[in-house]
Amino acid sequence: MSCPLLSAYFYGMASELKLGDALKQFVSKSTLKNGLRAVQIEEIWEQVMGKTIAKYTDKIQIINHTLFIQTAVGPLKQELLYQKPQIIARINEALKENVIKEVVIQ
């Protein structure tokens, strides 16, 4: 049994939303957002932090607005610890959104 009123409502909504906008709304409300942000951060990591840092960074992941950076290079760990505020600012600026609030160096 179909309800014409509901069908008209959903048809009106569908015709007003573009596919890209609908996908953005879906992603913003789903658990996929952190995964997509992590991929975006990995893609921009080299241009934001430079080739040398990117080369010696083993893993980057984001969990609940915290960026986890893993490296086995001791001096790089120290350098990244000092650069936490700059890392947050650079990543958020590159993503054009305040995604990162904390950085953890591992």
XYZ file of all heavy atoms in Angstrom:
844
model
N 0.848 -1.170 0.000
C 0.000 0.000 0.000
C 0.895 1.235 0.000
O 1.763 1.383 0.835
C -0.902 -0.057 1.222
C -1.881 1.032 1.302
S -3.021 0.601 2.647
C -4.095 1.919 2.509
N 0.657 2.112 -0.892
C 1.479 3.303 -1.045
C 0.711 4.535 -0.596
O -0.485 4.660 -0.841
C 1.886 3.425 -2.512
O 2.541 4.641 -2.720
N 1.408 5.422 0.036
C 0.785 6.662 0.492
C 1.195 7.779 -0.458
O 2.374 8.123 -0.551
C 1.238 6.969 1.917
S 0.577 8.520 2.534
N 0.257 8.350 -1.214
C 0.595 9.381 -2.195
C 1.239 10.618 -1.562
O 2.115 11.231 -2.143
C -0.734 9.744 -2.856
C -1.753 8.798 -2.340
C -1.163 8.022 -1.224
N 0.831 10.942 -0.344
C 1.379 12.113 0.321
C 2.866 11.921 0.632
O 3.690 12.793 0.372
C 0.610 12.414 1.605
C 0.992 13.684 2.357
C 0.826 14.899 1.457
C 0.152 13.842 3.605
N 3.215 10.742 1.157
C 4.622 10.447 1.439
C 5.438 10.362 0.161
O 6.554 10.846 0.090
C 4.753 9.139 2.237
C 4.421 9.235 3.714
C 4.510 7.863 4.359
C 5.328 10.192 4.427
N 4.890 9.737 -0.851
C 5.594 9.624 -2.129
C 5.908 11.001 -2.699
O 7.008 11.256 -3.179
C 4.765 8.825 -3.137
O 4.601 7.510 -2.693
N 4.936 11.895 -2.624
C 5.147 13.248 -3.127
C 6.207 13.974 -2.302
O 7.051 14.692 -2.844
C 3.828 14.027 -3.106
N 6.192 13.759 -0.981
C 7.173 14.388 -0.104
C 8.589 13.937 -0.448
O 9.484 14.749 -0.635
C 6.847 14.062 1.352
C 7.897 14.538 2.327
C 7.994 15.890 2.661
C 8.804 13.656 2.893
C 8.952 16.337 3.544
C 9.766 14.093 3.776
C 9.838 15.438 4.102
O 10.797 15.875 4.969
N 8.782 12.622 -0.523
C 10.115 12.105 -0.830
C 10.544 12.458 -2.251
O 11.700 12.717 -2.503
C 10.194 10.592 -0.592
C 10.224 10.244 0.861
C 9.210 9.509 1.440
C 11.268 10.665 1.669
C 9.234 9.208 2.784
C 11.306 10.363 3.017
C 10.278 9.634 3.576
N 9.619 12.491 -3.190
C 9.959 12.885 -4.553
C 10.420 14.337 -4.566
O 11.413 14.677 -5.200
C 8.760 12.699 -5.495
C 9.056 13.177 -6.891
C 9.837 12.411 -7.743
C 8.605 14.415 -7.340
C 10.146 12.848 -9.020
C 8.901 14.859 -8.605
C 9.668 14.076 -9.442
O 9.974 14.518 -10.705
N 9.740 15.187 -3.800
C 10.130 16.596 -3.727
C 11.508 16.760 -3.123
O 12.320 17.545 -3.593
N 11.804 15.972 -2.093
C 13.126 16.036 -1.468
C 14.191 15.565 -2.449
O 15.240 16.174 -2.566
C 13.180 15.147 -0.216
C 12.516 15.744 0.991
S 12.626 14.657 2.422
C 14.373 14.443 2.592
N 13.915 14.477 -3.145
C 14.892 13.909 -4.075
C 15.174 14.865 -5.211
O 16.309 14.976 -5.660
C 14.393 12.567 -4.604
N 14.167 15.562 -5.667
C 14.389 16.463 -6.791
C 15.137 17.725 -6.360
O 15.750 18.386 -7.177
C 13.057 16.833 -7.450
O 12.266 17.587 -6.554
N 15.098 18.041 -5.069
C 15.779 19.238 -4.584
C 17.247 18.980 -4.263
O 18.048 19.887 -4.271
C 15.075 19.759 -3.325
C 13.701 20.329 -3.613
C 12.983 20.757 -2.346
O 13.651 20.995 -1.326
O 11.755 20.843 -2.377
N 17.608 17.736 -3.947
C 18.976 17.414 -3.581
C 19.747 16.905 -4.788
O 19.267 16.061 -5.519
C 19.010 16.314 -2.509
C 18.806 16.727 -1.077
C 18.838 15.505 -0.177
C 19.840 17.716 -0.622
N 20.933 17.412 -4.956
C 21.826 16.865 -5.960
C 22.510 15.653 -5.349
O 22.626 15.543 -4.127
C 22.864 17.901 -6.370
C 22.258 19.088 -7.082
C 23.319 20.065 -7.481
C 22.673 21.260 -8.154
N 23.637 22.303 -8.444
N 22.982 14.756 -6.174
C 23.609 13.534 -5.685
C 24.797 13.842 -4.787
O 24.941 13.254 -3.717
C 24.046 12.657 -6.866
C 24.688 11.329 -6.495
C 23.746 10.491 -5.642
C 25.091 10.566 -7.734
N 25.649 14.776 -5.190
C 26.814 15.145 -4.388
C 26.419 15.668 -3.019
O 27.027 15.321 -2.007
N 25.368 16.479 -2.976
C 24.895 17.024 -1.705
C 24.321 15.922 -0.818
O 24.537 15.903 0.393
C 23.836 18.105 -1.938
C 24.404 19.334 -2.634
O 25.632 19.565 -2.514
O 23.631 20.049 -3.294
N 23.594 15.004 -1.435
C 23.025 13.888 -0.681
C 24.130 13.024 -0.087
O 24.056 12.600 1.069
C 22.117 13.055 -1.576
N 25.191 12.776 -0.865
C 26.314 11.983 -0.362
C 27.024 12.694 0.779
O 27.406 12.064 1.763
C 27.291 11.676 -1.492
C 26.836 10.609 -2.481
C 27.792 10.524 -3.662
C 26.693 9.268 -1.804
N 27.211 14.003 0.655
C 27.848 14.767 1.728
C 27.038 14.677 3.015
O 27.594 14.513 4.101
C 28.015 16.234 1.318
C 29.137 16.475 0.346
C 29.226 17.933 -0.037
C 30.238 18.138 -1.134
N 30.266 19.523 -1.614
N 25.722 14.786 2.898
C 24.866 14.683 4.081
C 24.969 13.296 4.701
O 25.045 13.152 5.917
C 23.412 14.981 3.720
C 23.119 16.432 3.512
C 21.654 16.681 3.209
O 20.816 15.784 3.308
N 21.334 17.913 2.830
N 24.967 12.275 3.844
C 25.076 10.904 4.343
C 26.390 10.692 5.075
O 26.424 10.175 6.185
C 24.948 9.907 3.192
C 25.287 8.500 3.594
C 24.404 7.759 4.358
C 26.496 7.934 3.221
C 24.718 6.466 4.742
C 26.814 6.644 3.604
C 25.924 5.905 4.369
N 27.497 11.107 4.472
C 28.816 10.907 5.063
C 28.953 11.690 6.362
O 29.514 11.193 7.332
C 29.931 11.282 4.061
C 31.286 11.352 4.746
C 29.970 10.270 2.927
N 28.429 12.904 6.396
C 28.561 13.718 7.608
C 27.822 13.104 8.797
O 28.191 13.337 9.941
C 28.065 15.142 7.364
O 26.663 15.163 7.244
N 26.811 12.292 8.530
C 26.040 11.680 9.610
C 26.417 10.218 9.855
O 25.898 9.604 10.768
C 24.552 11.776 9.294
C 24.059 13.208 9.291
C 22.622 13.314 8.904
C 22.233 14.786 8.868
N 20.948 15.013 8.280
N 27.328 9.695 9.072
C 27.665 8.279 9.223
C 29.018 8.103 9.913
O 29.762 9.049 10.126
C 27.701 7.605 7.848
O 28.892 7.939 7.174
N 29.337 6.864 10.212
C 30.619 6.547 10.833
C 31.747 6.514 9.804
O 32.903 6.353 10.180
C 30.550 5.189 11.551
O 30.149 4.190 10.606
C 29.561 5.226 12.697
N 31.427 6.668 8.548
C 32.447 6.671 7.493
C 33.284 7.943 7.502
O 34.368 7.965 6.934
C 31.786 6.541 6.112
C 31.055 5.247 5.816
C 30.339 5.353 4.484
C 32.026 4.096 5.807
N 32.798 8.972 8.140
C 33.463 10.276 8.082
C 34.911 10.206 8.568
O 35.802 10.745 7.924
C 32.679 11.301 8.885
C 33.164 12.719 8.648
C 32.223 13.728 9.237
C 32.681 15.108 8.863
N 31.744 16.123 9.260
N 35.172 9.537 9.696
C 36.544 9.444 10.196
C 37.438 8.699 9.224
O 38.584 9.079 9.019
C 36.589 8.766 11.570
C 36.313 9.730 12.701
O 36.367 10.944 12.525
N 36.004 9.198 13.852
N 36.931 7.635 8.629
C 37.716 6.880 7.656
C 38.055 7.713 6.441
O 39.184 7.688 5.939
N 37.100 8.473 5.963
C 37.347 9.341 4.809
C 38.317 10.458 5.158
O 39.179 10.812 4.359
C 36.027 9.925 4.294
C 35.071 8.925 3.662
C 33.738 9.587 3.347
C 35.671 8.316 2.413
N 38.196 11.004 6.346
C 39.129 12.045 6.787
C 40.541 11.491 6.880
O 41.497 12.157 6.514
C 38.715 12.612 8.155
C 37.497 13.466 8.088
C 37.820 14.760 7.372
N 36.649 15.598 7.389
C 36.309 16.408 6.403
N 37.034 16.475 5.324
N 35.256 17.154 6.501
N 40.677 10.273 7.370
C 42.005 9.654 7.471
C 42.637 9.503 6.097
O 43.827 9.776 5.922
C 41.906 8.298 8.171
N 41.847 9.103 5.124
C 42.357 8.974 3.748
C 42.761 10.347 3.217
O 43.817 10.494 2.606
C 41.308 8.304 2.834
C 41.713 8.391 1.378
C 41.096 6.858 3.250
N 41.950 11.356 3.469
C 42.275 12.715 3.021
C 43.570 13.196 3.667
O 44.412 13.798 3.002
C 41.143 13.691 3.359
C 39.915 13.521 2.522
C 38.804 14.454 2.978
O 38.567 14.632 4.169
N 38.112 15.034 2.018
N 43.739 12.932 4.952
C 44.943 13.368 5.655
C 46.167 12.660 5.101
O 47.205 13.281 4.887
C 44.792 13.154 7.180
C 43.762 14.151 7.730
C 46.130 13.322 7.891
C 43.332 13.889 9.153
N 46.051 11.359 4.840
C 47.169 10.626 4.247
C 47.554 11.203 2.892
O 48.728 11.288 2.549
C 46.832 9.141 4.118
C 46.843 8.413 5.442
C 46.453 6.952 5.309
O 46.341 6.444 4.171
O 46.257 6.313 6.348
N 46.551 11.619 2.104
C 46.810 12.176 0.778
C 47.514 13.528 0.845
O 48.336 13.842 -0.004
C 45.499 12.296 0.005
C 44.932 10.959 -0.426
C 43.587 11.086 -1.114
O 43.019 12.202 -1.153
O 43.093 10.052 -1.601
N 47.197 14.343 1.842
C 47.786 15.682 1.926
C 48.988 15.748 2.858
O 49.642 16.779 2.948
C 46.745 16.739 2.360
C 46.215 16.426 3.766
C 45.635 16.858 1.348
C 45.396 17.531 4.379
N 49.283 14.657 3.563
C 50.336 14.643 4.574
C 51.666 15.143 4.030
O 52.320 15.981 4.640
C 50.464 13.242 5.164
C 51.436 13.133 6.294
C 52.611 12.454 6.292
C 51.330 13.720 7.595
N 53.237 12.572 7.504
C 52.475 13.344 8.323
C 50.387 14.522 8.212
C 52.687 13.744 9.637
C 50.605 14.925 9.515
C 51.741 14.544 10.216
N 52.092 14.651 2.877
C 53.391 15.052 2.318
C 53.419 16.533 1.975
O 54.385 17.218 2.281
C 53.727 14.226 1.082
C 55.102 14.562 0.522
C 55.483 13.702 -0.669
O 55.298 12.474 -0.596
O 55.965 14.266 -1.666
N 52.376 17.037 1.355
C 52.397 18.453 0.979
C 52.269 19.364 2.198
O 52.800 20.476 2.197
C 51.331 18.764 -0.068
C 49.919 18.822 0.449
C 48.914 18.999 -0.656
O 48.547 18.047 -1.310
N 48.458 20.212 -0.854
N 51.606 18.898 3.248
C 51.445 19.711 4.458
C 52.703 19.685 5.321
O 53.132 20.710 5.838
C 50.214 19.239 5.265
C 50.156 19.896 6.628
C 48.941 19.513 4.496
N 53.312 18.498 5.460
C 54.442 18.343 6.380
C 55.798 18.237 5.691
O 56.825 18.336 6.352
C 54.222 17.107 7.261
C 53.010 17.214 8.159
S 53.018 18.655 9.253
C 54.437 18.304 10.268
N 55.827 18.004 4.410
C 57.087 17.897 3.687
C 57.464 16.447 3.401
O 57.012 15.520 4.070
N 58.319 16.276 2.403
C 58.692 14.936 1.953
C 59.448 14.134 3.003
O 59.221 12.938 3.170
C 59.540 15.019 0.677
C 58.760 15.394 -0.540
C 59.626 15.379 -1.786
C 58.786 15.771 -2.984
N 59.495 15.627 -4.234
N 60.364 14.772 3.717
C 61.183 14.057 4.694
C 60.323 13.494 5.815
O 60.444 12.315 6.170
C 62.273 14.980 5.271
O 63.044 15.501 4.190
C 63.177 14.229 6.214
N 59.457 14.310 6.381
C 58.590 13.847 7.463
C 57.649 12.757 6.945
O 57.464 11.727 7.596
C 57.808 15.017 8.094
C 58.784 15.897 8.885
C 56.673 14.517 8.987
C 58.181 17.144 9.466
N 57.080 12.966 5.779
C 56.172 11.965 5.208
C 56.884 10.634 4.974
O 56.312 9.566 5.201
C 55.577 12.485 3.907
N 58.135 10.704 4.546
C 58.904 9.487 4.261
C 59.106 8.633 5.511
O 59.079 7.403 5.452
C 60.258 9.877 3.661
C 61.144 8.713 3.310
C 62.443 9.207 2.697
C 63.375 8.052 2.398
N 64.641 8.518 1.822
N 59.307 9.268 6.655
C 59.600 8.550 7.891
C 58.393 8.387 8.814
O 58.525 7.966 9.953
C 60.754 9.223 8.628
C 62.039 9.104 7.859
C 62.580 10.201 7.200
C 62.694 7.872 7.753
C 63.753 10.084 6.468
C 63.867 7.754 7.024
C 64.390 8.861 6.383
O 65.545 8.742 5.643
N 57.214 8.743 8.330
C 55.989 8.535 9.086
C 55.422 7.186 8.661
O 55.157 6.958 7.494
C 54.965 9.648 8.788
O 55.561 10.906 9.105
C 53.714 9.473 9.612
N 55.256 6.290 9.636
C 54.811 4.934 9.326
C 53.301 4.804 9.188
O 52.811 4.098 8.318
C 55.302 3.957 10.406
C 56.821 3.951 10.506
O 57.488 4.039 9.465
O 57.327 3.884 11.644
N 52.566 5.489 10.055
C 51.110 5.337 10.054
C 50.464 6.613 10.559
O 50.959 7.248 11.482
C 50.723 4.162 10.960
C 49.271 3.806 10.950
C 49.025 2.573 11.809
C 47.562 2.205 11.814
N 47.308 1.057 12.692
N 49.343 6.966 9.931
C 48.558 8.126 10.345
C 47.113 7.668 10.445
O 46.603 7.043 9.521
C 48.632 9.272 9.311
C 50.070 9.654 9.031
C 47.844 10.473 9.771
C 50.213 10.499 7.787
N 46.476 7.950 11.566
C 45.056 7.639 11.668
C 44.365 8.670 12.549
O 44.999 9.343 13.361
C 44.817 6.220 12.174
C 45.206 5.950 13.601
C 45.022 4.495 13.991
O 45.965 3.885 14.410
N 43.843 3.939 13.848
N 43.068 8.796 12.358
C 42.278 9.747 13.140
C 41.180 8.995 13.869
O 40.494 8.160 13.282
C 41.698 10.863 12.241
C 40.909 11.858 13.067
C 40.883 10.303 11.117
C 40.427 13.063 12.303
N 41.082 9.270 15.165
C 40.032 8.677 15.989
C 39.468 9.796 16.858
O 40.198 10.393 17.659
C 40.575 7.533 16.868
C 41.189 6.431 15.998
C 39.472 6.983 17.773
C 41.931 5.365 16.761
N 38.200 10.082 16.678
C 37.513 11.104 17.489
C 38.281 12.425 17.562
O 38.605 12.904 18.645
C 37.238 10.581 18.905
C 36.286 9.411 18.894
O 35.429 9.309 18.027
N 36.454 8.513 19.836
N 38.590 13.002 16.456
C 39.261 14.295 16.346
C 40.701 14.289 16.851
O 41.284 15.346 17.069
C 38.477 15.404 17.053
C 37.090 15.583 16.511
N 36.843 16.198 15.318
C 35.885 15.204 16.991
C 35.544 16.203 15.083
N 34.943 15.599 16.084
N 41.263 13.112 17.078
C 42.659 12.994 17.486
C 43.442 12.347 16.360
O 43.069 11.287 15.876
C 42.793 12.156 18.775
O 42.039 12.789 19.809
C 44.246 12.035 19.207
N 44.525 12.995 15.952
C 45.390 12.475 14.903
C 46.522 11.703 15.560
O 47.261 12.242 16.373
C 45.957 13.633 14.068
C 46.865 13.242 12.911
C 46.095 12.487 11.842
C 47.516 14.478 12.310
N 46.637 10.433 15.214
C 47.703 9.582 15.723
C 48.761 9.447 14.631
O 48.452 9.035 13.517
C 47.165 8.193 16.105
C 46.255 8.223 17.293
C 44.895 8.463 17.151
C 46.764 8.017 18.567
C 44.051 8.491 18.250
C 45.930 8.049 19.680
C 44.573 8.284 19.518
N 49.994 9.809 14.968
C 51.110 9.748 14.025
C 52.119 8.759 14.577
O 52.580 8.899 15.705
C 51.773 11.131 13.858
C 50.737 12.169 13.433
C 52.916 11.045 12.857
C 51.223 13.592 13.525
N 52.463 7.770 13.768
C 53.408 6.752 14.211
C 54.694 6.832 13.394
O 54.660 6.891 12.167
C 52.787 5.363 14.047
C 53.595 4.257 14.641
C 52.844 2.937 14.598
O 51.911 2.756 13.826
N 53.260 2.014 15.435
N 55.824 6.847 14.113
C 57.136 6.844 13.478
C 58.119 6.119 14.389
O 57.995 6.171 15.606
C 57.640 8.269 13.170
O 58.908 8.175 12.524
C 57.761 9.125 14.402
N 59.082 5.460 13.764
C 60.101 4.742 14.531
C 61.361 5.582 14.718
O 62.304 5.160 15.381
C 60.457 3.429 13.819
N 61.377 6.789 14.172
C 62.552 7.661 14.205
C 62.463 8.588 15.418
O 61.610 9.487 15.465
C 62.668 8.473 12.890
C 63.890 9.359 12.918
C 62.686 7.539 11.690
N 63.349 8.357 16.402
C 63.342 9.123 17.645
C 63.403 10.630 17.476
O 62.568 11.359 18.035
N 64.379 11.151 16.713
C 64.445 12.610 16.541
C 63.198 13.199 15.872
O 62.784 14.307 16.210
C 65.675 12.810 15.652
C 66.519 11.596 15.889
C 65.550 10.478 16.135
N 62.596 12.438 14.973
C 61.375 12.914 14.326
C 60.231 12.977 15.337
O 59.442 13.924 15.322
C 60.991 12.026 13.137
C 59.713 12.415 12.401
C 59.780 13.844 11.870
C 59.444 11.438 11.256
N 60.158 12.005 16.226
C 59.140 12.032 17.279
C 59.255 13.318 18.090
O 58.264 13.990 18.367
C 59.287 10.834 18.213
C 58.734 9.553 17.686
C 58.855 8.455 18.726
C 58.420 7.131 18.148
N 58.504 6.049 19.127
N 60.486 13.655 18.476
C 60.724 14.876 19.262
C 60.296 16.114 18.478
O 59.646 17.006 19.017
C 62.194 14.990 19.646
C 62.606 14.094 20.774
C 61.816 14.381 22.038
O 61.098 13.517 22.506
N 61.928 15.563 22.589
N 60.672 16.174 17.215
C 60.310 17.320 16.370
C 58.795 17.445 16.246
O 58.243 18.544 16.348
C 60.950 17.175 14.988
C 60.691 18.332 14.051
C 61.271 19.657 14.542
O 62.317 19.652 15.212
O 60.663 20.704 14.229
N 58.120 16.323 16.029
C 56.663 16.350 15.894
C 55.981 16.744 17.197
O 54.952 17.417 17.175
C 56.144 14.989 15.408
C 56.525 14.612 13.977
C 56.090 13.182 13.663
C 55.962 15.578 12.958
N 56.555 16.351 18.326
C 56.000 16.758 19.626
C 55.993 18.280 19.765
O 55.031 18.871 20.259
C 56.792 16.135 20.776
C 56.528 14.656 21.045
C 57.537 14.109 22.050
C 55.112 14.445 21.549
N 57.069 18.917 19.315
C 57.161 20.376 19.381
C 56.236 21.057 18.381
O 55.845 22.208 18.573
C 58.600 20.840 19.145
C 59.532 20.487 20.277
C 60.626 19.666 20.058
C 59.319 20.967 21.573
C 61.493 19.324 21.098
C 60.168 20.635 22.612
C 61.249 19.813 22.369
O 62.096 19.483 23.400
N 55.889 20.351 17.312
C 55.082 20.944 16.245
C 53.585 20.651 16.350
O 52.838 20.960 15.419
C 55.583 20.445 14.878
C 56.901 21.003 14.463
C 57.215 20.648 13.023
O 56.332 20.405 12.206
N 58.487 20.624 12.690
N 53.129 20.088 17.437
C 51.718 19.708 17.554
C 50.742 20.832 17.171
O 49.840 20.610 16.370
C 51.405 19.210 18.967
C 51.800 17.797 19.231
C 51.334 17.410 20.633
C 51.667 15.986 20.963
N 51.095 15.602 22.266
N 50.894 22.041 17.721
C 49.940 23.108 17.355
C 49.984 23.439 15.852
O 48.945 23.682 15.240
C 50.390 24.311 18.184
C 51.209 23.740 19.292
C 51.834 22.494 18.760
N 51.181 23.421 15.271
C 51.309 23.713 13.844
C 50.701 22.586 12.994
O 50.090 22.849 11.960
C 52.777 23.911 13.443
C 53.403 25.153 14.020
C 54.029 24.918 15.403
O 53.804 23.906 16.055
N 54.820 25.882 15.855
N 50.861 21.347 13.436
C 50.274 20.210 12.706
C 48.756 20.335 12.692
O 48.117 20.198 11.640
C 50.705 18.865 13.343
C 52.210 18.653 13.158
C 49.922 17.706 12.736
C 52.780 17.485 13.948
N 48.180 20.622 13.843
C 46.727 20.791 13.940
C 46.265 21.900 13.000
O 45.318 21.721 12.220
C 46.300 21.082 15.394
C 46.562 19.862 16.270
C 44.826 21.496 15.463
C 46.427 20.120 17.762
N 46.935 23.031 13.051
C 46.549 24.176 12.216
C 46.692 23.862 10.728
O 45.797 24.178 9.936
C 47.392 25.394 12.588
N 47.790 23.232 10.345
C 48.025 22.926 8.929
C 47.012 21.932 8.376
O 46.499 22.110 7.268
C 49.433 22.365 8.731
C 50.531 23.367 8.891
C 51.870 22.693 8.753
N 52.968 23.607 8.996
C 54.233 23.219 9.062
N 54.556 21.947 8.895
N 55.179 24.108 9.282
N 46.743 20.870 9.129
C 45.789 19.856 8.666
C 44.385 20.455 8.569
O 43.691 20.280 7.566
C 45.780 18.616 9.595
C 47.127 17.909 9.581
C 44.642 17.667 9.221
C 47.506 17.251 8.280
N 43.966 21.180 9.596
C 42.637 21.791 9.572
C 42.508 22.804 8.440
O 41.463 22.891 7.790
C 42.323 22.439 10.919
C 42.020 21.408 11.989
O 41.664 20.270 11.695
N 42.174 21.799 13.232
N 43.559 23.553 8.192
C 43.528 24.523 7.093
C 43.432 23.809 5.745
O 42.659 24.208 4.877
C 44.778 25.395 7.126
C 44.790 26.466 6.052
C 46.052 27.312 6.097
O 46.627 27.488 7.189
O 46.461 27.794 5.029
N 44.194 22.739 5.582
C 44.172 21.999 4.316
C 42.816 21.340 4.072
O 42.346 21.273 2.931
C 45.281 20.943 4.302
N 42.166 20.886 5.142
C 40.853 20.248 5.010
C 39.709 21.255 5.027
O 38.555 20.896 4.808
C 40.651 19.231 6.132
C 41.581 18.025 6.124
C 41.337 17.153 7.350
C 41.412 17.207 4.849
N 40.030 22.506 5.327
C 39.041 23.587 5.403
C 37.927 23.285 6.418
O 36.764 23.596 6.201
C 38.446 23.864 4.024
C 39.456 24.365 3.023
C 38.828 24.592 1.675
C 39.814 25.180 0.711
N 40.615 24.240 0.006
N 38.342 22.642 7.517
C 37.404 22.272 8.568
C 38.202 21.942 9.830
O 39.307 21.433 9.743
C 36.611 21.039 8.119
C 35.482 20.656 9.006
C 34.706 19.455 8.475
O 34.880 19.064 7.321
O 33.934 18.899 9.266
N 37.649 22.230 11.000
C 38.339 21.914 12.250
C 38.107 20.447 12.620
O 37.265 20.129 13.443
C 37.878 22.831 13.388
C 38.432 24.226 13.232
O 39.520 24.407 12.697
N 37.682 25.198 13.692
N 38.882 19.591 11.989
C 38.739 18.151 12.172
C 39.621 17.674 13.325
O 39.196 16.875 14.150
C 39.133 17.401 10.878
C 39.087 15.902 11.077
C 38.250 17.832 9.735
N 40.850 18.171 13.392
C 41.831 17.718 14.361
C 41.854 18.658 15.558
O 41.983 19.866 15.407
C 43.241 17.640 13.730
C 43.235 16.782 12.470
C 44.261 17.139 14.744
C 42.812 15.362 12.687
N 41.731 18.078 16.747
C 41.797 18.874 17.968
C 43.014 18.495 18.813
O 43.462 19.265 19.646
C 40.516 18.700 18.773
C 39.300 19.256 18.062
C 38.069 19.157 18.927
C 36.817 19.642 18.396
N 36.400 20.158 17.316
N 43.550 17.282 18.609
C 44.685 16.789 19.370
C 45.555 15.925 18.480
O 45.086 15.321 17.533
C 44.182 15.973 20.568
C 45.276 15.422 21.471
C 46.077 16.511 22.152
O 45.524 17.520 22.600
O 47.321 16.362 22.207
N 46.855 15.895 18.805
C 47.816 15.059 18.075
C 48.542 14.179 19.082
O 48.998 14.662 20.115
C 48.840 15.929 17.292
C 49.904 15.052 16.652
C 48.140 16.757 16.224
N 48.650 12.899 18.750
C 49.385 11.949 19.586
C 50.500 11.361 18.732
O 50.249 10.847 17.643
C 48.472 10.828 20.118
C 49.277 9.776 20.865
C 47.363 11.412 20.994
N 51.736 11.455 19.221
C 52.894 10.923 18.512
C 53.240 9.583 19.142
O 53.447 9.497 20.348
C 54.108 11.875 18.604
C 53.706 13.326 18.269
C 55.241 11.373 17.719
C 53.154 13.559 16.903
N 53.346 8.558 18.319
C 53.641 7.216 18.817
C 54.944 6.717 18.235
O 55.293 6.972 17.150
C 52.527 6.229 18.443
C 51.187 6.663 19.003
C 50.059 5.796 18.501
O 50.008 5.429 17.337
N 49.144 5.476 19.385
